[in-house]
Amino acid sequence: MKNKSISLQTLLKTVLAMLLLLSVFEACKKADDPVVVTPVDKTKLKARIDSANAIYTSAVEGVQVGNYEVGSKATFKNYIDAANIIYGNAAATQTDATNAYVNLGVGMTNFAGKRVQEIAAANLILYLKMDGNANDASGKGFNGALKAGAQPISATVTSGSVTQAVSWTGWGGSATNVPALTKDRYGVDGKAYTFDKGSNIEIPYNSVLNPAKEFTIALWARPTKINESSYMVSLNRWNGYKFQLQSANKPFLTVKTAPGKYIDKDNESPTLDVNKWYHLTVTYKSGAMTFYVNGTPVKTWTDVSGDPYAVKSNINLVIGQDLPSNLYQLNEKDDADGNNFNGPWGGYFTGDMDEIRMYNVVLSDTQVKSIYNAEKP
């Protein structure tokens, strides 16, 4: 029995030794096997780089239709350069190549958005160049008339079944206090209008000036005094829409969207300086109100909803004051058309204005920028 036990032990040792040798052999064999490396496919990346280079080479920066926003080519070139680095890197992985392909695609999309698109003539509904007059250059024929600010009144008016005496001292201007021609932002005489004490430009009401879905107002302004309610463009003030500067001298838009519902927002920042020209733009559609200063978007509000309300009364559009001056003799409050006159609840703009445009569409960032670049001093 003893000899048999020894034999089994020896056998076990022998088997273990053989297994050990076999594992060493297999390990050596695997180490000697060649490593199979899958080549990185950069074909799609190369094709996209070539396409991007062709677009970049042919692109022209400028403010004309078909041009690209000034400075946009340099940004696009950064995307192309980043893709070329990956394409030329022998150590780049397939994931690297795929990511570079996707990122360059993003750059191409962004650059395409910088292309200046034509604004259809039909979408420009008012254009006051103010080159010596208040005529409309949009082709729609909405010429303005120069008006003095609201004058002192003392009258008897009837509202419903109630007749009462009303009086008001007015803005302090005179019957001859109409907008006067002045220097524009280039310093050229007679190419802009200056406004004060309610002097205004009045444009006969037309439903075209009350867009049903969306709009853009763009103008050059040089405020010379900060007023509480510094109205620049107003269609029946809060019963339609009004673009003004508020008490901190920030652009401010009010849009009525339903009976009793008003959207009031400002640009938050910056606060405008007095005696300085600015290009001010605001766009509105349900879901977005955006303010621009000198072609740059400074604030977008998304907590806004509702289409612009259809003004029921034929109240004229006013530049430089909240309402047509003759309406201050009315003392109706919340009349059947949703108006609320009741005296001078609004205000007037003090300073200079020029190149007032209104569109019945929301302009893109690039379109707003192109107008500014084309007209800046």
Side-chain angles (χ1 to χ4, degrees), residues 157-178:
V157 299
T158 300
S159 178
S161 60
V162 179
T163 299
Q164 57 184 320
V166 297
S167 63
W168 178 47
T169 59
W171 299 127
S174 65
T176 58
N177 181 45
V178 298

Side-chain angles (χ1 to χ4, degrees), residues 51 64 69 89 91 98 143 176 188 194 208 249 292 307 334 341 345 371:
S51 178
Q64 303 301 318
E69 187 178 313
N89 184 3
T98 299
N143 296 334
T176 58
V188 180
T194 189
V208 172
N249 220 33
Y292 300 78
D307 296 331
D334 298 327
F341 303 120
W345 280 30
I371 293 173

Side-chain angles (χ1 to χ4, degrees), residues 209-271:
L209 300 173
N210 189 186
K213 291 293 183 181
E214 57 189 76
F215 63 81
T216 298
I217 300 173
L219 55 84
W220 285 91
R222 177 181 172 268
T224 57
K225 180 182 177 182
I226 298 175
N227 296 328
E228 174 65 30
S229 298
S230 189
Y231 283 70
M232 297 182 290
V233 179
S234 176
L235 181 65
N236 201 0
R237 49 189 179 193
W238 52 79
N239 291 299
Y241 58 81
K242 57 184 177 68
F243 187 33
Q244 66 181 78
L245 303 177
Q246 38 84 302
S247 57
N249 220 33
K250 298 177 183 179
F252 186 97
L253 180 70
T254 299
V255 182
K256 183 176 182 178
T257 56
K261 182 180 179 182
Y262 309 90
I263 297 172
D264 292 294
K265 299 288 187 181
D266 64 36
N267 71 325
E268 285 201 334
S269 181
T271 297

